Amino acid sequence: MQDHVTVETVGRVAVITLNRPQQRNAINAAIRSGLPKAMSAAERDDSVAVVVLTGADPAFCAGLDLVELGSGDNRSAVSIDDWKGSVRPWAPLTKPVIGAINGAAVTGGFELALNCDFLIASEHARFADTHARVGVMPGWGLTPLLADAVGVRRARQMSLSGNYIDAHTALTWGLVNEVVPHGELMARTMAVAADIAGNDRAGVERMLATYAEQERARLAHSWIIEGDASTAFRRQHRYGAETVEQRRASIIERGRSQI
């Protein structure tokens, strides 16, 4: 079976790649299980100073695999009984995580990007929050992290419309740090990662922890609010396979097929 999460170590940088290109790297059970394991392994590896998260072309991540969900295989989702509110997609790291956004980052894939410490984007990158189109609530911190990144009014526009923004709009809004030609994305990301890895390690970790502490101070209550809303919504709206397929078809008609 194809490894849906691959890891390559280059110098002191661990490159973690979502590897389901034909499915636009949609989050299935294997990715949901494998990604946090890969992140934890990178955290434990003393030779790794920086982590880069990317996707196999042509997309970064298309979000939850609705085909798997519609088939009745719900292992890719947290069960209602186990749901404890909004959570991180991986355990916190003491090492920086750079998102190399090579294509579309949609809904759950957008949340993966937002959980990175900062983003470098290809000119092909696009971002969308389509939770409202599918009729689900985010559970990986999208509402606090997106509002923190682009401002609450722009975050509302993205979440309520479900519309895409392109890479240059994302740069203007402050969602990504840089936009580079597609063929230069990994070289540029690895160069930035090498700059970080070349600094004093204790200093980098302390600086990153300081930013993380400030983020928690700003957003802790927002995470609780999202978690409570997600829990309530999931308990009130249980969708069968037929409804999921109808919603998937609606998303494709409204543009998700572009990813």
Side-chain angles (χ1 to χ4, degrees):
M1 181 181 293
Q2 180 187 30
D3 190 349
H4 291 172
V5 178
T6 65
V7 182
E8 179 185 10
T9 301
V10 181
R12 299 182 65 198
V13 181
V15 180
I16 299 176
T17 303
L18 307 178
N19 188 37
R20 302 182 71 211
Q22 292 183 340
Q23 294 79 27
R24 303 301 191 263
N25 304 317
I27 302 167
N28 63 352
I31 287 179
R32 187 171 180 99
S33 171
L35 179 56
K37 290 178 181 177
M39 288 289 186
S40 294
E43 173 71 8
R44 294 191 303 269
D45 188 342
D46 287 338
S47 70
V48 171
V50 183
V51 177
V52 170
L53 177 63
T54 193
D57 279 345
F60 176 74
C61 178
L64 185 64
D65 188 337
L66 294 176
V67 173
E68 181 179 85
L69 185 64
S71 72
D73 184 352
N74 292 322
R75 292 173 298 161
S76 60
V78 177
S79 72
I80 294 294
D81 293 337
D82 290 341
W83 190 255
K84 300 283 193 298
S86 192
V87 294
R88 299 270 184 180
W90 56 78
L93 273 64
T94 62
K95 304 168 183 181
V97 179
I98 306 172
I101 312 303
N102 58 303
V106 183
T107 314
F110 192 11
E111 290 189 282
L112 295 183
L114 287 166
N115 275 275
C116 297
D117 291 300
F118 62 88
L119 306 177
I120 298 175
S122 154
E123 60 195 345
H124 294 172
R126 286 177 297 148
F127 303 86
D129 174 21
T130 62
H131 282 97
R133 293 187 182 185
V134 185
V136 298
M137 278 291 295
W140 280 342
L142 183 139
T143 54
L145 294 174
L146 180 57
D148 196 49
V150 304
V152 67
R153 293 182 183 276
R154 285 170 171 162
R156 285 173 182 160
Q157 178 182 337
M158 291 192 71
S159 293
L160 300 181
S161 70
N163 291 336
Y164 287 81
I165 64 169
D166 62 22
H168 292 287
T169 301
L171 179 64
T172 300
W173 286 10
L175 178 61
V176 305
N177 289 26
E178 301 180 29
V179 175
V180 300
H182 186 71
E184 299 175 15
L185 175 63
M186 289 309 296
R188 176 57 185 159
T189 304
M190 295 299 285
V192 174
D195 287 342
I196 296 171
N199 288 334
D200 178 79
R201 185 159 181 173
V204 169
E205 291 182 356
R206 182 62 262 177
M207 186 68 73
L208 185 64
T210 301
Y211 277 115
E213 289 164 11
Q214 294 173 6
E215 180 186 88
R216 283 193 294 271
R218 291 194 312 274
L219 304 181
H221 188 58
S222 298
W223 278 81
I224 293 171
I225 291 171
E226 180 181 283
D228 289 346
S230 297
T231 300
F233 194 91
R234 290 168 66 92
R235 292 186 184 280
Q236 292 168 5
H237 300 275
R238 296 171 180 264
Y239 299 125
E242 181 178 353
T243 302
V244 169
E245 182 56 33
Q246 290 172 349
R247 289 172 182 271
R248 176 174 175 271
S250 176
I251 291 169
I252 292 173
E253 289 173 5
R254 295 184 63 183
R256 183 167 169 177
S257 59
Q258 298 174 10
I259 66 176

